[in-house]
Structures are given as structure tokens and as C-alpha cells.
Short mmCIF file of all heavy atoms in Angstrom, two decimals:
data_model
loop_
_atom_site.label_atom_id
_atom_site.label_comp_id
_atom_site.label_asym_id
_atom_site.label_seq_id
_atom_site.Cartn_x
_atom_site.Cartn_y
_atom_site.Cartn_z
N MET A 1 7.76 2.40 50.93
CA MET A 1 6.64 2.31 50.00
C MET A 1 6.14 0.88 49.93
O MET A 1 6.84 -0.04 50.30
CB MET A 1 7.07 2.77 48.61
CG MET A 1 7.12 4.29 48.48
SD MET A 1 7.46 4.78 46.79
CE MET A 1 9.18 4.31 46.67
N ILE A 2 4.94 0.76 49.42
CA ILE A 2 4.30 -0.55 49.33
C ILE A 2 4.23 -0.99 47.88
O ILE A 2 3.88 -0.21 47.00
CB ILE A 2 2.88 -0.47 49.94
CG1 ILE A 2 2.99 -0.10 51.43
CG2 ILE A 2 2.11 -1.77 49.73
CD1 ILE A 2 1.70 0.34 52.05
N TRP A 3 4.61 -2.20 47.63
CA TRP A 3 4.51 -2.78 46.29
C TRP A 3 3.04 -3.02 45.99
O TRP A 3 2.32 -3.54 46.84
CB TRP A 3 5.31 -4.09 46.26
CG TRP A 3 5.57 -4.67 44.92
CD1 TRP A 3 5.20 -5.90 44.49
CD2 TRP A 3 6.31 -4.07 43.83
NE1 TRP A 3 5.65 -6.09 43.20
CE2 TRP A 3 6.33 -5.00 42.78
CE3 TRP A 3 6.94 -2.84 43.67
CZ2 TRP A 3 6.96 -4.72 41.56
CZ3 TRP A 3 7.56 -2.57 42.46
CH2 TRP A 3 7.57 -3.51 41.41
N CYS A 4 2.60 -2.58 44.83
CA CYS A 4 1.17 -2.64 44.51
C CYS A 4 0.63 -4.07 44.61
O CYS A 4 1.09 -4.97 43.91
CB CYS A 4 0.92 -2.09 43.12
SG CYS A 4 -0.84 -2.17 42.67
N PRO A 5 -0.37 -4.27 45.49
CA PRO A 5 -0.92 -5.62 45.66
C PRO A 5 -1.89 -5.99 44.54
O PRO A 5 -2.31 -7.13 44.45
CB PRO A 5 -1.65 -5.52 47.00
CG PRO A 5 -2.04 -4.09 47.11
CD PRO A 5 -0.96 -3.30 46.41
N ARG A 6 -2.23 -5.00 43.71
CA ARG A 6 -3.20 -5.29 42.65
C ARG A 6 -2.49 -5.76 41.38
O ARG A 6 -2.77 -6.83 40.87
CB ARG A 6 -4.06 -4.07 42.37
CG ARG A 6 -5.12 -4.39 41.35
CD ARG A 6 -5.95 -3.19 40.99
NE ARG A 6 -6.97 -3.58 40.03
CZ ARG A 6 -7.71 -2.73 39.34
NH1 ARG A 6 -7.56 -1.43 39.52
NH2 ARG A 6 -8.59 -3.15 38.48
N CYS A 7 -1.59 -4.92 40.85
CA CYS A 7 -0.96 -5.28 39.57
C CYS A 7 0.40 -5.94 39.78
O CYS A 7 0.92 -6.59 38.89
CB CYS A 7 -0.81 -4.05 38.67
SG CYS A 7 0.39 -2.83 39.26
N GLU A 8 0.99 -5.73 40.97
CA GLU A 8 2.32 -6.27 41.28
C GLU A 8 3.37 -5.84 40.26
O GLU A 8 4.30 -6.58 39.94
CB GLU A 8 2.26 -7.80 41.43
CG GLU A 8 1.29 -8.21 42.54
CD GLU A 8 1.27 -9.70 42.81
OE1 GLU A 8 1.49 -10.47 41.86
OE2 GLU A 8 1.04 -10.08 43.98
N GLN A 9 3.19 -4.60 39.74
CA GLN A 9 4.11 -4.07 38.72
C GLN A 9 4.74 -2.75 39.15
O GLN A 9 5.57 -2.20 38.43
CB GLN A 9 3.37 -3.79 37.41
CG GLN A 9 2.59 -4.95 36.85
CD GLN A 9 3.42 -5.81 35.96
OE1 GLN A 9 4.22 -5.32 35.18
NE2 GLN A 9 3.26 -7.11 36.07
N GLY A 10 4.24 -2.16 40.24
CA GLY A 10 4.75 -0.84 40.59
C GLY A 10 4.57 -0.53 42.06
O GLY A 10 3.99 -1.30 42.82
N TRP A 11 5.07 0.64 42.45
CA TRP A 11 5.01 1.08 43.83
C TRP A 11 3.77 1.93 44.08
O TRP A 11 3.35 2.67 43.20
CB TRP A 11 6.23 1.92 44.18
CG TRP A 11 7.51 1.16 44.20
CD1 TRP A 11 8.48 1.18 43.25
CD2 TRP A 11 7.97 0.26 45.23
NE1 TRP A 11 9.51 0.35 43.64
CE2 TRP A 11 9.24 -0.22 44.82
CE3 TRP A 11 7.43 -0.17 46.45
CZ2 TRP A 11 9.97 -1.12 45.60
CZ3 TRP A 11 8.16 -1.07 47.22
CH2 TRP A 11 9.41 -1.53 46.80
N VAL A 12 3.25 1.82 45.29
CA VAL A 12 2.16 2.71 45.72
C VAL A 12 2.84 3.91 46.39
O VAL A 12 3.49 3.76 47.42
CB VAL A 12 1.22 2.00 46.72
CG1 VAL A 12 0.14 2.95 47.20
CG2 VAL A 12 0.59 0.77 46.06
N VAL A 13 2.71 5.08 45.76
CA VAL A 13 3.35 6.28 46.30
C VAL A 13 2.30 7.18 46.95
O VAL A 13 1.15 7.22 46.53
CB VAL A 13 4.12 7.07 45.21
CG1 VAL A 13 5.31 6.29 44.71
CG2 VAL A 13 3.23 7.47 44.06
N LYS A 14 2.73 7.90 47.97
CA LYS A 14 1.82 8.80 48.67
C LYS A 14 1.77 10.12 47.92
O LYS A 14 2.81 10.70 47.59
CB LYS A 14 2.29 9.00 50.11
CG LYS A 14 1.17 9.44 51.00
CD LYS A 14 1.59 9.40 52.47
CE LYS A 14 0.42 9.86 53.31
NZ LYS A 14 0.85 10.37 54.61
N CYS A 15 0.57 10.59 47.64
CA CYS A 15 0.39 11.83 46.90
C CYS A 15 -0.68 12.69 47.56
O CYS A 15 -1.44 12.22 48.40
CB CYS A 15 -0.06 11.54 45.46
SG CYS A 15 1.22 10.91 44.41
N ARG A 16 -0.73 13.94 47.11
CA ARG A 16 -1.78 14.85 47.54
C ARG A 16 -2.39 15.45 46.28
O ARG A 16 -1.70 15.71 45.31
CB ARG A 16 -1.20 15.94 48.43
CG ARG A 16 -2.25 16.98 48.84
CD ARG A 16 -1.79 17.83 50.01
NE ARG A 16 -0.52 18.48 49.72
CZ ARG A 16 0.33 18.91 50.64
NH1 ARG A 16 0.07 18.75 51.91
NH2 ARG A 16 1.44 19.49 50.29
N VAL A 17 -3.71 15.66 46.33
CA VAL A 17 -4.37 16.36 45.23
C VAL A 17 -3.98 17.83 45.36
O VAL A 17 -4.19 18.44 46.41
CB VAL A 17 -5.91 16.21 45.30
CG1 VAL A 17 -6.56 16.91 44.10
CG2 VAL A 17 -6.30 14.75 45.33
N VAL A 18 -3.39 18.39 44.30
CA VAL A 18 -2.93 19.77 44.32
C VAL A 18 -4.08 20.71 44.70
O VAL A 18 -5.18 20.60 44.16
CB VAL A 18 -2.32 20.17 42.95
CG1 VAL A 18 -2.08 21.68 42.87
CG2 VAL A 18 -1.02 19.43 42.71
N GLY A 19 -3.84 21.58 45.67
CA GLY A 19 -4.83 22.56 46.08
C GLY A 19 -5.79 22.04 47.15
O GLY A 19 -6.73 22.74 47.53
N THR A 20 -5.59 20.81 47.61
CA THR A 20 -6.45 20.24 48.65
C THR A 20 -5.58 19.63 49.74
O THR A 20 -4.36 19.60 49.62
CB THR A 20 -7.38 19.13 48.11
OG1 THR A 20 -6.62 17.93 47.99
CG2 THR A 20 -7.99 19.50 46.76
N GLU A 21 -6.25 19.15 50.79
CA GLU A 21 -5.52 18.46 51.86
C GLU A 21 -5.68 16.95 51.72
O GLU A 21 -5.31 16.20 52.62
CB GLU A 21 -6.07 18.90 53.23
CG GLU A 21 -5.77 20.36 53.56
CD GLU A 21 -4.27 20.64 53.58
OE1 GLU A 21 -3.53 19.85 54.19
OE2 GLU A 21 -3.85 21.64 52.97
N GLU A 22 -6.24 16.51 50.60
CA GLU A 22 -6.51 15.09 50.41
C GLU A 22 -5.23 14.33 50.06
O GLU A 22 -4.59 14.63 49.05
CB GLU A 22 -7.50 14.89 49.26
CG GLU A 22 -8.90 15.36 49.56
CD GLU A 22 -9.60 14.51 50.59
OE1 GLU A 22 -9.37 13.29 50.62
OE2 GLU A 22 -10.40 15.07 51.36
N THR A 23 -4.88 13.37 50.89
CA THR A 23 -3.73 12.54 50.57
C THR A 23 -4.20 11.11 50.34
O THR A 23 -5.22 10.68 50.87
CB THR A 23 -2.68 12.55 51.70
OG1 THR A 23 -3.28 12.07 52.89
CG2 THR A 23 -2.12 13.95 51.90
N PHE A 24 -3.47 10.41 49.52
CA PHE A 24 -3.86 9.05 49.17
C PHE A 24 -2.66 8.32 48.62
O PHE A 24 -1.63 8.92 48.29
CB PHE A 24 -4.98 9.08 48.12
CG PHE A 24 -4.60 9.80 46.85
CD1 PHE A 24 -4.12 9.09 45.77
CD2 PHE A 24 -4.70 11.18 46.77
CE1 PHE A 24 -3.76 9.75 44.60
CE2 PHE A 24 -4.32 11.84 45.60
CZ PHE A 24 -3.85 11.12 44.52
N GLY A 25 -2.78 7.01 48.50
CA GLY A 25 -1.74 6.22 47.88
C GLY A 25 -2.17 5.87 46.47
O GLY A 25 -3.34 5.60 46.23
N ILE A 26 -1.22 5.92 45.54
CA ILE A 26 -1.56 5.55 44.16
C ILE A 26 -0.44 4.72 43.57
O ILE A 26 0.74 4.99 43.79
CB ILE A 26 -1.83 6.81 43.30
CG1 ILE A 26 -2.16 6.41 41.86
CG2 ILE A 26 -0.67 7.81 43.36
CD1 ILE A 26 -2.65 7.53 40.98
N CYS A 27 -0.84 3.70 42.81
CA CYS A 27 0.15 2.86 42.13
C CYS A 27 0.66 3.59 40.89
O CYS A 27 -0.13 4.10 40.09
CB CYS A 27 -0.48 1.53 41.74
SG CYS A 27 0.61 0.54 40.71
N GLU A 28 1.97 3.63 40.74
CA GLU A 28 2.58 4.31 39.60
C GLU A 28 2.27 3.61 38.29
O GLU A 28 2.37 4.20 37.23
CB GLU A 28 4.11 4.33 39.76
CG GLU A 28 4.58 5.20 40.89
CD GLU A 28 6.10 5.21 40.96
OE1 GLU A 28 6.71 4.14 41.03
OE2 GLU A 28 6.66 6.30 40.91
N GLU A 29 1.95 2.35 38.35
CA GLU A 29 1.73 1.57 37.13
C GLU A 29 0.27 1.48 36.71
O GLU A 29 -0.07 1.73 35.57
CB GLU A 29 2.29 0.15 37.30
CG GLU A 29 3.79 0.08 37.27
CD GLU A 29 4.36 0.56 35.94
OE1 GLU A 29 3.78 0.25 34.89
OE2 GLU A 29 5.39 1.25 35.97
N CYS A 30 -0.60 1.11 37.65
CA CYS A 30 -1.99 0.85 37.25
C CYS A 30 -2.96 1.95 37.68
O CYS A 30 -4.15 1.85 37.41
CB CYS A 30 -2.45 -0.51 37.78
SG CYS A 30 -2.54 -0.65 39.57
N ASP A 31 -2.44 3.02 38.35
CA ASP A 31 -3.27 4.17 38.73
C ASP A 31 -4.41 3.81 39.68
O ASP A 31 -5.42 4.48 39.72
CB ASP A 31 -3.84 4.88 37.49
CG ASP A 31 -2.79 5.66 36.71
OD1 ASP A 31 -1.64 5.72 37.17
OD2 ASP A 31 -3.12 6.19 35.65
N THR A 32 -4.24 2.73 40.43
CA THR A 32 -5.23 2.41 41.46
C THR A 32 -4.98 3.30 42.67
O THR A 32 -3.83 3.51 43.08
CB THR A 32 -5.14 0.93 41.87
OG1 THR A 32 -5.33 0.12 40.71
CG2 THR A 32 -6.21 0.58 42.90
N VAL A 33 -6.06 3.85 43.23
CA VAL A 33 -5.99 4.77 44.37
C VAL A 33 -6.51 4.08 45.62
O VAL A 33 -7.53 3.40 45.58
CB VAL A 33 -6.85 6.02 44.07
CG1 VAL A 33 -7.06 6.86 45.32
CG2 VAL A 33 -6.22 6.86 42.97
N TRP A 34 -5.78 4.26 46.72
CA TRP A 34 -6.29 3.86 48.03
C TRP A 34 -6.30 5.12 48.89
O TRP A 34 -5.24 5.64 49.28
CB TRP A 34 -5.39 2.79 48.66
CG TRP A 34 -5.50 1.46 47.99
CD1 TRP A 34 -6.41 0.48 48.25
CD2 TRP A 34 -4.66 0.94 46.93
NE1 TRP A 34 -6.18 -0.60 47.42
CE2 TRP A 34 -5.13 -0.35 46.62
CE3 TRP A 34 -3.56 1.45 46.24
CZ2 TRP A 34 -4.55 -1.14 45.63
CZ3 TRP A 34 -2.97 0.68 45.26
CH2 TRP A 34 -3.46 -0.61 44.95
N ALA A 35 -7.49 5.63 49.15
CA ALA A 35 -7.59 6.94 49.80
C ALA A 35 -7.40 6.85 51.30
O ALA A 35 -6.56 7.53 51.87
CB ALA A 35 -8.93 7.58 49.47
N ALA A 36 -8.17 6.02 51.96
CA ALA A 36 -8.13 5.99 53.42
C ALA A 36 -7.47 4.71 53.93
O ALA A 36 -6.71 4.72 54.88
CB ALA A 36 -9.54 6.09 53.97
N GLU A 37 -7.75 3.64 53.25
CA GLU A 37 -7.34 2.34 53.74
C GLU A 37 -5.94 1.96 53.24
O GLU A 37 -5.43 2.55 52.30
CB GLU A 37 -8.36 1.28 53.33
CG GLU A 37 -8.41 0.98 51.84
CD GLU A 37 -9.16 2.02 51.00
OE1 GLU A 37 -9.47 3.11 51.49
OE2 GLU A 37 -9.38 1.74 49.82
N GLU A 38 -5.37 0.97 53.86
CA GLU A 38 -4.08 0.44 53.42
C GLU A 38 -4.29 -0.27 52.09
O GLU A 38 -5.33 -0.87 51.86
CB GLU A 38 -3.56 -0.57 54.44
CG GLU A 38 -2.96 0.08 55.66
CD GLU A 38 -1.73 0.90 55.33
OE1 GLU A 38 -0.76 0.32 54.82
OE2 GLU A 38 -1.74 2.11 55.57
N PRO A 39 -3.28 -0.19 51.21
CA PRO A 39 -3.40 -0.92 49.94
C PRO A 39 -3.70 -2.39 50.17
O PRO A 39 -3.11 -3.03 51.03
CB PRO A 39 -2.02 -0.73 49.31
CG PRO A 39 -1.56 0.58 49.85
CD PRO A 39 -2.08 0.63 51.25
N SER A 40 -4.67 -2.88 49.42
CA SER A 40 -5.12 -4.24 49.58
C SER A 40 -5.36 -4.84 48.19
O SER A 40 -5.64 -4.11 47.25
CB SER A 40 -6.41 -4.23 50.41
OG SER A 40 -7.24 -5.30 50.05
N SER A 41 -5.24 -6.13 48.09
CA SER A 41 -5.47 -6.77 46.80
C SER A 41 -6.94 -7.08 46.57
O SER A 41 -7.32 -7.61 45.55
CB SER A 41 -4.65 -8.08 46.72
OG SER A 41 -5.05 -8.94 47.76
N ARG A 42 -7.77 -6.72 47.55
CA ARG A 42 -9.19 -7.03 47.42
C ARG A 42 -9.97 -5.85 46.86
O ARG A 42 -9.76 -4.71 47.29
CB ARG A 42 -9.77 -7.41 48.79
CG ARG A 42 -9.49 -8.85 49.17
CD ARG A 42 -9.86 -9.10 50.60
NE ARG A 42 -9.06 -8.23 51.49
CZ ARG A 42 -9.30 -8.07 52.78
NH1 ARG A 42 -10.30 -8.67 53.35
NH2 ARG A 42 -8.53 -7.28 53.51
N PRO A 43 -10.90 -6.10 45.96
CA PRO A 43 -11.77 -5.04 45.48
C PRO A 43 -12.71 -4.60 46.59
O PRO A 43 -12.84 -5.32 47.59
CB PRO A 43 -12.52 -5.69 44.32
CG PRO A 43 -12.41 -7.16 44.55
CD PRO A 43 -11.18 -7.39 45.37
N PRO A 44 -13.44 -3.48 46.45
CA PRO A 44 -13.48 -2.64 45.24
C PRO A 44 -12.24 -1.75 45.14
O PRO A 44 -11.72 -1.29 46.15
CB PRO A 44 -14.74 -1.79 45.47
CG PRO A 44 -14.85 -1.67 46.96
CD PRO A 44 -14.33 -2.98 47.51
N PHE A 45 -11.82 -1.52 43.91
CA PHE A 45 -10.71 -0.62 43.67
C PHE A 45 -11.23 0.72 43.18
O PHE A 45 -12.24 0.79 42.49
CB PHE A 45 -9.78 -1.20 42.59
CG PHE A 45 -9.16 -2.50 42.98
CD1 PHE A 45 -9.51 -3.68 42.33
CD2 PHE A 45 -8.21 -2.56 43.98
CE1 PHE A 45 -8.93 -4.89 42.69
CE2 PHE A 45 -7.63 -3.77 44.35
CZ PHE A 45 -7.99 -4.94 43.70
N THR A 46 -10.50 1.76 43.54
CA THR A 46 -10.79 3.08 43.00
C THR A 46 -9.66 3.39 42.02
O THR A 46 -8.50 3.16 42.33
CB THR A 46 -10.78 4.14 44.12
OG1 THR A 46 -11.70 3.75 45.13
CG2 THR A 46 -11.16 5.51 43.58
N ILE A 47 -10.02 3.89 40.86
CA ILE A 47 -8.96 4.30 39.94
C ILE A 47 -8.88 5.82 39.90
O ILE A 47 -9.81 6.52 40.32
CB ILE A 47 -9.16 3.73 38.52
CG1 ILE A 47 -10.54 4.06 37.97
CG2 ILE A 47 -8.89 2.24 38.48
CD1 ILE A 47 -10.64 3.86 36.49
N LEU A 48 -7.76 6.30 39.44
CA LEU A 48 -7.49 7.74 39.50
C LEU A 48 -8.59 8.56 38.83
O LEU A 48 -8.97 9.61 39.35
CB LEU A 48 -6.13 8.02 38.85
CG LEU A 48 -5.65 9.47 38.98
CD1 LEU A 48 -5.44 9.86 40.44
CD2 LEU A 48 -4.35 9.68 38.20
N ASP A 49 -9.11 8.10 37.71
CA ASP A 49 -10.17 8.84 37.00
C ASP A 49 -11.35 9.15 37.91
O ASP A 49 -11.81 10.29 37.99
CB ASP A 49 -10.69 8.03 35.80
CG ASP A 49 -9.63 7.77 34.77
OD1 ASP A 49 -8.52 7.36 35.16
OD2 ASP A 49 -9.89 7.98 33.58
N GLU A 50 -11.84 8.11 38.62
CA GLU A 50 -12.99 8.29 39.49
C GLU A 50 -12.64 9.18 40.68
O GLU A 50 -13.44 10.00 41.12
CB GLU A 50 -13.46 6.96 40.09
CG GLU A 50 -13.73 5.85 39.13
CD GLU A 50 -13.90 4.52 39.91
OE1 GLU A 50 -14.16 4.54 41.12
OE2 GLU A 50 -13.75 3.47 39.28
N TYR A 51 -11.46 8.95 41.21
CA TYR A 51 -11.05 9.69 42.39
C TYR A 51 -10.96 11.18 42.09
O TYR A 51 -11.46 12.01 42.85
CB TYR A 51 -9.71 9.15 42.90
CG TYR A 51 -9.29 9.74 44.22
CD1 TYR A 51 -9.96 9.39 45.40
CD2 TYR A 51 -8.24 10.64 44.29
CE1 TYR A 51 -9.59 9.94 46.62
CE2 TYR A 51 -7.86 11.19 45.51
CZ TYR A 51 -8.54 10.84 46.67
OH TYR A 51 -8.16 11.39 47.85
N MET A 52 -10.33 11.53 40.97
CA MET A 52 -10.14 12.94 40.63
C MET A 52 -11.45 13.62 40.24
O MET A 52 -11.60 14.83 40.38
CB MET A 52 -9.12 13.09 39.50
CG MET A 52 -7.72 12.66 39.90
SD MET A 52 -7.04 13.60 41.30
CE MET A 52 -6.48 15.06 40.42
N GLU A 53 -12.40 12.83 39.79
CA GLU A 53 -13.72 13.38 39.45
C GLU A 53 -14.37 14.07 40.64
O GLU A 53 -15.04 15.08 40.50
CB GLU A 53 -14.64 12.23 38.98
CG GLU A 53 -15.37 12.52 37.69
CD GLU A 53 -16.03 11.26 37.15
OE1 GLU A 53 -16.94 10.73 37.84
OE2 GLU A 53 -15.62 10.79 36.07
N LYS A 54 -14.14 13.53 41.83
CA LYS A 54 -14.69 14.12 43.05
C LYS A 54 -14.22 15.55 43.26
O LYS A 54 -14.87 16.35 43.91
CB LYS A 54 -14.24 13.31 44.29
CG LYS A 54 -14.85 11.96 44.39
CD LYS A 54 -14.72 11.41 45.82
CE LYS A 54 -13.26 11.27 46.25
NZ LYS A 54 -13.14 10.67 47.61
N PHE A 55 -13.03 15.83 42.73
CA PHE A 55 -12.44 17.16 42.92
C PHE A 55 -12.61 18.02 41.67
O PHE A 55 -12.14 19.15 41.63
CB PHE A 55 -10.95 17.03 43.26
CG PHE A 55 -10.70 16.18 44.48
CD1 PHE A 55 -10.34 14.85 44.33
CD2 PHE A 55 -10.88 16.70 45.75
CE1 PHE A 55 -10.15 14.04 45.45
CE2 PHE A 55 -10.69 15.90 46.87
CZ PHE A 55 -10.32 14.58 46.72
N GLY A 56 -13.27 17.47 40.66
CA GLY A 56 -13.46 18.21 39.42
C GLY A 56 -12.17 18.46 38.67
O GLY A 56 -12.02 19.44 37.96
N LYS A 57 -11.22 17.54 38.85
CA LYS A 57 -9.92 17.70 38.19
C LYS A 57 -9.68 16.56 37.22
O LYS A 57 -10.22 15.47 37.38
CB LYS A 57 -8.79 17.70 39.24
CG LYS A 57 -8.76 18.95 40.11
CD LYS A 57 -7.67 18.80 41.15
CE LYS A 57 -7.65 19.97 42.13
NZ LYS A 57 -7.06 21.18 41.55
N ALA A 58 -8.83 16.83 36.23
CA ALA A 58 -8.47 15.79 35.28
C ALA A 58 -7.55 14.78 35.96
O ALA A 58 -6.77 15.15 36.85
CB ALA A 58 -7.76 16.41 34.08
N PRO A 59 -7.66 13.51 35.58
CA PRO A 59 -6.85 12.46 36.20
C PRO A 59 -5.41 12.46 35.69
O PRO A 59 -4.96 11.49 35.09
CB PRO A 59 -7.60 11.18 35.82
CG PRO A 59 -8.24 11.50 34.52
CD PRO A 59 -8.59 12.97 34.58
N LEU A 60 -4.72 13.54 35.92
CA LEU A 60 -3.35 13.68 35.44
C LEU A 60 -2.39 13.75 36.61
O LEU A 60 -2.71 14.33 37.65
CB LEU A 60 -3.21 14.98 34.62
CG LEU A 60 -4.15 15.12 33.43
CD1 LEU A 60 -4.04 16.53 32.85
CD2 LEU A 60 -3.83 14.07 32.38
N TRP A 61 -1.19 13.19 36.40
CA TRP A 61 -0.19 13.25 37.46
C TRP A 61 0.21 14.68 37.77
O TRP A 61 0.68 14.98 38.85
CB TRP A 61 1.02 12.39 37.10
CG TRP A 61 0.76 10.93 37.34
CD1 TRP A 61 0.10 10.07 36.51
CD2 TRP A 61 1.10 10.16 38.50
NE1 TRP A 61 0.03 8.82 37.11
CE2 TRP A 61 0.64 8.85 38.30
CE3 TRP A 61 1.78 10.48 39.70
CZ2 TRP A 61 0.82 7.84 39.26
CZ3 TRP A 61 1.96 9.47 40.64
CH2 TRP A 61 1.48 8.18 40.42
N SER A 62 0.00 15.59 36.80
CA SER A 62 0.34 17.00 37.05
C SER A 62 -0.62 17.64 38.05
O SER A 62 -0.33 18.70 38.59
CB SER A 62 0.35 17.78 35.73
OG SER A 62 -0.88 17.65 35.07
N ASN A 63 -1.76 17.00 38.33
CA ASN A 63 -2.68 17.49 39.35
C ASN A 63 -2.39 16.87 40.71
O ASN A 63 -3.12 17.09 41.66
CB ASN A 63 -4.13 17.20 38.95
CG ASN A 63 -4.64 18.17 37.89
OD1 ASN A 63 -4.20 19.31 37.84
ND2 ASN A 63 -5.54 17.70 37.05
N LEU A 64 -1.33 16.06 40.76
CA LEU A 64 -0.96 15.40 42.00
C LEU A 64 0.40 15.92 42.45
O LEU A 64 1.26 16.22 41.64
CB LEU A 64 -0.85 13.88 41.80
CG LEU A 64 -2.00 13.18 41.08
CD1 LEU A 64 -1.71 11.70 41.00
CD2 LEU A 64 -3.31 13.44 41.77
N GLU A 65 0.53 15.99 43.76
CA GLU A 65 1.82 16.36 44.33
C GLU A 65 2.37 15.14 45.05
O GLU A 65 1.74 14.61 45.97
CB GLU A 65 1.61 17.52 45.32
CG GLU A 65 2.87 18.01 45.97
CD GLU A 65 2.57 19.05 47.04
OE1 GLU A 65 1.42 19.54 47.09
OE2 GLU A 65 3.47 19.35 47.81
N ARG A 66 3.53 14.70 44.63
CA ARG A 66 4.13 13.52 45.27
C ARG A 66 4.68 13.87 46.64
O ARG A 66 5.44 14.81 46.78
CB ARG A 66 5.31 13.03 44.44
CG ARG A 66 4.96 12.07 43.36
CD ARG A 66 6.21 11.85 42.53
NE ARG A 66 5.89 11.05 41.37
CZ ARG A 66 6.18 9.74 41.30
NH1 ARG A 66 6.83 9.14 42.26
NH2 ARG A 66 5.83 9.07 40.23
N LEU A 67 4.30 13.08 47.63
CA LEU A 67 4.80 13.32 48.99
C LEU A 67 5.98 12.41 49.31
O LEU A 67 6.62 12.57 50.32
CB LEU A 67 3.67 13.09 50.00
CG LEU A 67 2.43 13.98 49.79
CD1 LEU A 67 1.38 13.65 50.83
CD2 LEU A 67 2.79 15.45 49.85
N GLU A 68 6.26 11.49 48.44
CA GLU A 68 7.48 10.69 48.61
C GLU A 68 8.08 10.42 47.24
O GLU A 68 7.42 10.56 46.22
CB GLU A 68 7.25 9.41 49.41
CG GLU A 68 6.07 8.60 48.96
CD GLU A 68 5.78 7.41 49.88
OE1 GLU A 68 6.20 7.37 51.03
OE2 GLU A 68 5.10 6.49 49.39
N LYS A 69 9.34 10.08 47.25
CA LYS A 69 10.08 9.90 46.01
C LYS A 69 9.57 8.68 45.24
O LYS A 69 9.14 7.71 45.84
CB LYS A 69 11.57 9.67 46.32
CG LYS A 69 12.18 10.80 47.13
CD LYS A 69 12.66 11.91 46.23
CE LYS A 69 13.51 12.89 47.00
NZ LYS A 69 12.98 14.24 46.97
N GLY A 70 9.68 8.77 43.94
CA GLY A 70 9.34 7.62 43.10
C GLY A 70 10.49 6.63 43.07
O GLY A 70 11.52 6.84 43.70
N THR A 71 10.29 5.59 42.32
CA THR A 71 11.27 4.51 42.26
C THR A 71 12.60 4.95 41.67
O THR A 71 13.65 4.43 42.03
CB THR A 71 10.73 3.33 41.46
OG1 THR A 71 10.17 3.84 40.25
CG2 THR A 71 9.64 2.61 42.21
N GLU A 72 12.55 5.93 40.78
CA GLU A 72 13.78 6.32 40.08
C GLU A 72 14.81 6.97 40.99
O GLU A 72 15.99 6.95 40.70
CB GLU A 72 13.46 7.22 38.86
CG GLU A 72 12.94 8.63 39.19
CD GLU A 72 11.44 8.67 39.45
OE1 GLU A 72 10.79 7.60 39.55
OE2 GLU A 72 10.91 9.77 39.56
N THR A 73 14.35 7.53 42.11
CA THR A 73 15.30 8.19 43.01
C THR A 73 15.41 7.46 44.36
O THR A 73 16.13 7.91 45.23
CB THR A 73 14.91 9.66 43.27
OG1 THR A 73 13.53 9.70 43.61
CG2 THR A 73 15.16 10.53 42.05
N ALA A 74 14.70 6.37 44.51
CA ALA A 74 14.75 5.63 45.76
C ALA A 74 16.14 4.99 45.91
O ALA A 74 16.73 4.54 44.94
CB ALA A 74 13.68 4.56 45.80
N SER A 75 16.62 4.97 47.12
CA SER A 75 17.95 4.38 47.33
C SER A 75 17.81 2.98 47.89
O SER A 75 16.81 2.63 48.47
CB SER A 75 18.77 5.24 48.27
OG SER A 75 18.06 5.45 49.47
ZN1 ZN B 1 -0.61 -1.31 40.49
#
């Protein structure tokens, strides 16, 4: 996983929007989304609210499927 280059407080985890094939990276702390590109500290940033709007879904983690483990289970 990649340490968030924006907030430097959390990990960027790979997720999928439930019910779609869209995968993206999201920071567990600041909810910044990187859809296609590698996480970068340079703007523009996409936040989860805007990203989920495209799919007509609420910006909730329950609408996301984690494709890799979070920090709590990482070894
Ligand atoms: Zn972050």
C-alpha cells in the first residue's frame, strides 16, 4: 500500500465501488480518491463525495468493497 501523499496520516487502499467494475485508491484518513493515476501530492484532488456522485451513491465506506486489507490487519 501507499502512504497517503496528501495528508500523510493514512494508507491509500484499493477499493471497488460496489456493483461496478470501478476500482480506485482511497486514503483511509482524508478520503481522497485517485481513480486512474498513481497517488500524488499534487492537486487537483478528488474526494470521495464527488467521486461517488458519478455513480449516484452516497459517499459511505459501506458502498465500497475493499480489495486489500486495511492497516489493522496488515502484517
Ligand atoms: Zn490522506
